[in-house]
Amino acid sequence: MEIVYLLVPLSLVLVFLIGAVFFWAVRRGQYDDLEGPAHRILMDDDRTGSG
Amino acid sequence: MDTVVLNAAASAAVPAQTECYHCGLLLPHDAHFVVAIDGVEHALCCAGCQAVARTIVEHGLTSYYRHRSALPSREETVPQTVRDLAAYAVPEVERALSRDAGGNAREAALMLEGITCAACVWLIEQRLQNMPGVLGVDINYATHRAQVRWDARRTRLAAILEAVMAIGYRAHPYDSARAEQARRSERDRALWRLFVAGFGMMQVMMYLVPVYLTDGEMSPDIEQLMRIASLILTLPVVLFSAAPFFAGAWRDARARHLGMDVPIALGIGTAFAASVVATVAGSGQVYFDSVTMFVFLLLAARFLEMTARTRAVITQEQLAQQAPAVAERFAEWPASDLAEMVSVSRLRVGDHVRVRPGAAVPADGMVVGGASEIDESLLTGESRPLPKRAGDDLTGGSLNVGNPLVMRVTRVGADTALAGILRLLDRAAGDKPRIARVADRVAQNFVLALLVIAAVVAVVWHQLDPSRALWVTVAVLVVSCPCALSLATPAALAAATGALHAHGVLITRGDALENLARATHFVFDKTGTLTTGAMQLIGVTPLAGNIRERTRAECLALAAALEAGSGHPLAHALIAAAPASVRHRCTECKHFAGSGVEAVVGNTRLRLGAPGFVAELCGQPLPRELATVAHDVTAVMLGDEQGWVALFTFTDPLRPHARTVVRQLAQLGKHVHLLSGDRPEIVRHIARELGIAAAHGGATPRDKLDYVRRLQLDGAIVAMVGDGVNDAAGLAAAQVSIAMGSGADIACSASDVILLSGRLDALLAAVRTARAALRVIRQNLAWAFAYNLVAIPLAACGYVTPLIAGAGMAASSMLVVANALRLLRRAPPRTTPVSATVTVAVN
């Protein structure tokens, strides 16, 4: 059971890490438009300008 | 002819095209507009679609047609002329609408109209990115907003807007972003608190569940490790997520007021502190899981309540945003039609302003040129656009959906109807209704009683079982939050007010909803309330003069010519009825106030107006026909120097829905009265037609006041419905006053409820919603009392752990808030008949 002494602190570190990543993602507006990018990937931009 | 041949060739491969390739409307038979895409010609319905489609093809953006999942909306296929955009090219305006983004770069937020599917977003983005000078485009599909950055040396804002318009969308700078910013940041903070509490709750559970499951078999070291881990995770929940509760409790304590935050803060604080002590001491129970879950569920209930409030005020915000920031002012109207862009705050009364199609009217005013349709739905709830032409009033903030208009500004700034509405809404928001004050007072007493009970429980349990005393006390504090009292009543009132605003009913006082729901007597005014107040022509009788008898059309044409410049309601009716083909020009036009008008048409001198006034000119006794006119109509005569020409009869027609409203109010058990200053025989006639038993005519304002007072002495709760101007005294005396509002009068109205749409049936919606709101509040209060009656004794007896207490209390708050939210669903569907037909055509 000694592994618990490692895993519990590790999980704590992970929790705060994930929290920080999520905070960053929201701040950067990653969740602002959930629908647009899904459609955007279907459009082939390279045809642009070729007519 | 080429076109036809090509179309025939194309139809061999594809089924015959009957709809426009671009917009999907049915093709007119004589249409000959085409666009070639990848070598195949497609037929289009109009020049507008052709221009848009060709622009798309020219810029190599044809994948739009392959990927789109919805057809473009109808209006935007009409391309705006490039000249329209010159307005935005003025450097001063461009600076006002965009901000510096470093170096020569500028940035602006654009509102895009006409986006129907994701392909539209792609199309606009591609078009703009290919423009020289555009540094970056970022379009949000969800909000239809775009952030555009450009190099000020290489391109202009106007050019960007033009490019968007050329491919069939409407773009305009979005300058009310700041107003929304505050609401968004409040919501973001609330979400963050909720997220941290939820995340903390789940992790704490993960550490503590093994402790419960192993039931003491866990080695003390590991158990202590779990406790410390939970403590670390609970820390941000208590310090960050629960901060509003502590702040609220501190505020209450300083104001010597017992709010609902006090027991919550006490519960959280005690439980957390005791658990920390137990962890440090290494003995005793810890309840970090209860603390985190309690905070999370409470925040969730609060968030729900906040959403309700936001949705209720959203119409108000839309209203505030409706007022445009810039206007197009004519420098020297009517000498030249040169217009300059100025900020709306610089408009003055008397200025002439152009209102473009799709633009909002910048201030209150009058149409002086052009004819168009105006959408006032945000102001009045009326979804149908109203026709406006020269001489008609315009309300600032309404939307021009037809043709360009020229208007003269009559009111600006704080004097406008829009500003008046916003002021009234603010007043309503600041005015705490009686029912909410009662709920507050009850909640305060409740908290006091709760604290006393908690103290008693603590003392008693200390005697019985000191080890459990603390946690039983915490459970009592937590389980019995008075949220149903303090949260749910304001939420219900806000939701009802918001729903009514969508019906075009403005609630301007907090008590209005409650009084409206309880009203027993509805006293109606006649003119302008049950009737439209606009005269309608019902009869034209040509009279045999000395020379000859004219036809009805001739009589009308003459009358219309005489009234051409008049703003009188009778004049509107006459002009509307006159044949458009004949236009007489009159000279020497003279108006006699209160009697009529005299003018020369051709070489005949004519008079139009009251019988006595016209008789002076024609020198003949009043004709027999006048005696046959019924008592409830208004008669107007036309005569020349030789004799009588015609008799016109007018009536004031009933408002649509007047009958339904009276009948349904009676069905709801309300007494309906009719009280008017008009002639008794007219009032009796109207009352008979509507089925109102209690009708009184010839009433002076003093009589109206006495009448309302007499009803109130008999214990009636009186709702007075008037036009807000003629019956101010009666309106003020009634418990709830309801005014038919339109444009100008709104700003100065003192009524509790204003029917902005001018539709009587909105009154029914108001009464029904008010009753529903009262019902919901009663349900919530009943639930709160029943819940506490069961929960507090159980907790005091030690049957409830802090964990269950937190869950029970939060579930109870959630229930009452959700119940209040049901009121929001009472808003009417906002589909216009116009868009309905478009949908049919597209399908």
Side-chain angles (χ1 to χ4, degrees), chain B residues 326-339:
Chain B
V326 287
E328 236 178 301
R329 184 172 67 185
F330 291 108
E332 296 159 43
W333 179 265
S336 102
D337 65 348
L338 222 63

Side-chain angles (χ1 to χ4, degrees), chain A residues 1 4-5 8 11-12 15-16 18-19 22-23 26 32-33 35-36 39-40 42-45 47-49 51, chain B residues 60 62 66-67 118-119 121-122 125-126 130 139-142 192 195 199 203 207 221-222 225-226 229 232-233:
Chain A
M1 283 299 274
V4 173
Y5 292 106
V8 168
S11 70
L12 270 179
V15 163
F16 283 99
I18 290 168
F22 183 64
F23 182 75
V26 170
D32 284 0
D33 184 6
E35 225 174 319
H39 294 279
R40 206 164 296 170
L42 296 173
M43 310 280 186
D44 34 1
D45 295 359
R47 282 179 59 95
T48 301
Chain B
T62 49
R66 282 200 306 279
H67 290 295
V121 172
W122 175 85
E125 230 170 41
Q126 290 304 311
N130 292 341
I139 301 180
N140 189 326
Y141 176 43
W192 268 114
F195 166 74
F199 209 52
Q203 292 304 315
Y207 298 131
D221 280 359
I222 293 183
L225 181 70
M226 297 296 192
I232 293 173
L233 278 171

Side-chain angles (χ1 to χ4, degrees), chain B residues 127-147:
Chain B
R127 177 69 193 91
L128 291 186
Q129 263 163 12
N130 292 341
M131 266 182 82
V134 172
L135 304 174
V137 192
D138 194 7
I139 301 180
N140 189 326
Y141 176 43
T143 57
H144 294 189
R145 252 172 245 161
Q147 284 288 336

Side-chain angles (χ1 to χ4, degrees), chain B residues 231-263:
Chain B
L231 171 62
I232 293 173
L233 278 171
T234 311
L235 218 54
V237 176
V238 171
L239 293 184
F240 173 66
S241 296
F245 300 118
F246 290 115
W250 175 240
R251 202 176 48 232
D252 286 350
R254 277 204 312 198
R256 307 205 177 285
H257 165 93
L258 281 173
M260 60 174 167
D261 284 340
V262 174

Side-chain angles (χ1 to χ4, degrees), chain B residues 4 189 191 208 214 216 287 310 323 416 470 510 519 658 695 713 797 809 814 816:
Chain B
V4 177
R189 248 198 321 276
L191 260 179
L208 290 186
T214 52
Y287 277 104
T310 319
T416 57
L470 182 68
L713 277 182
C797 295
M809 181 262 133
M814 222 80 101
V816 291

Side-chain angles (χ1 to χ4, degrees), chain B residues 533-788:
Chain B
M535 285 299 186
Q536 205 175 49
L537 184 68
I538 51 168
V540 182
T541 319
L543 301 172
N546 281 356
I547 313 279
R548 63 187 177 95
E549 189 176 320
R550 292 178 170 88
T551 65
R552 286 172 46 112
E554 277 176 322
C555 295
L556 273 172
L558 282 174
L562 261 69
E563 290 281 23
S566 165
H568 197 270
L570 293 178
H572 281 301
L574 277 173
I575 293 167
S581 51
V582 198
R583 278 273 174 267
H584 293 297
R585 188 174 286 264
C586 62
T587 49
E588 298 175 40
C589 194
K590 277 202 294 281
H591 289 267
F592 296 86
S595 7
V597 58
E598 182 186 306
V600 175
V601 175
N603 42 23
T604 351
R605 181 170 293 275
L606 286 154
R607 271 189 178 192
L608 178 74
F613 168 73
V614 182
E616 284 172 29
L617 179 77
C618 63
Q620 283 187 345
L622 295 177
R624 277 192 322 279
E625 284 84 349
L626 194 58
T628 63
V629 169
H631 288 303
D632 55 337
V633 298
T634 308
V636 167
M637 308 288 299
L638 176 68
D640 58 19
E641 280 160 320
Q642 272 81 47
W644 298 104
V645 176
L647 165 68
F648 302 99
T649 46
F650 296 88
T651 187
D652 186 7
L654 283 174
R655 270 187 200 275
H657 308 296
R659 244 177 231 108
T660 329
V661 169
V662 170
R663 199 177 58 237
Q664 299 219 10
L665 281 177
Q667 274 171 10
L668 288 170
K670 315 283 186 191
H671 301 274
V672 180
H673 295 239
L674 177 58
L675 194 57
S676 172
D678 215 336
R679 297 212 310 273
E681 58 266 24
I682 297 186
V683 175
R684 266 200 301 279
H685 173 79
I686 296 274
R688 220 176 14 252
E689 214 164 295
L690 292 174
I692 300 175
H696 302 272
T700 63
R702 179 82 222 166
D703 294 340
K704 291 184 182 178
L705 180 61
D706 290 342
Y707 192 86
V708 170
R709 290 252 166 87
R710 263 203 311 284
L711 285 176
Q712 285 171 332
L713 277 182
D714 297 337
I717 296 176
V718 179
M720 176 107 188
V721 192
D723 63 4
V725 183
N726 299 325
D727 26 27
L731 284 174
Q735 274 96 339
V736 53
S737 51
I738 301 153
M740 306 294 294
S742 60
D745 324 327
I746 293 166
C748 54
S749 176
S751 309
D752 304 329
V753 180
I754 301 175
L755 306 182
L756 289 172
S757 56
R759 288 166 58 124
L760 260 184
D761 54 343
L763 178 64
L764 282 178
V767 173
R768 292 219 178 91
T769 309
R771 284 161 72 108
L774 220 59
R775 205 159 51 232
V776 162
I777 290 171
R778 286 204 191 104
Q779 285 164 359
N780 284 346
L781 292 182
W783 164 258
F785 280 111
Y787 165 80
N788 281 306

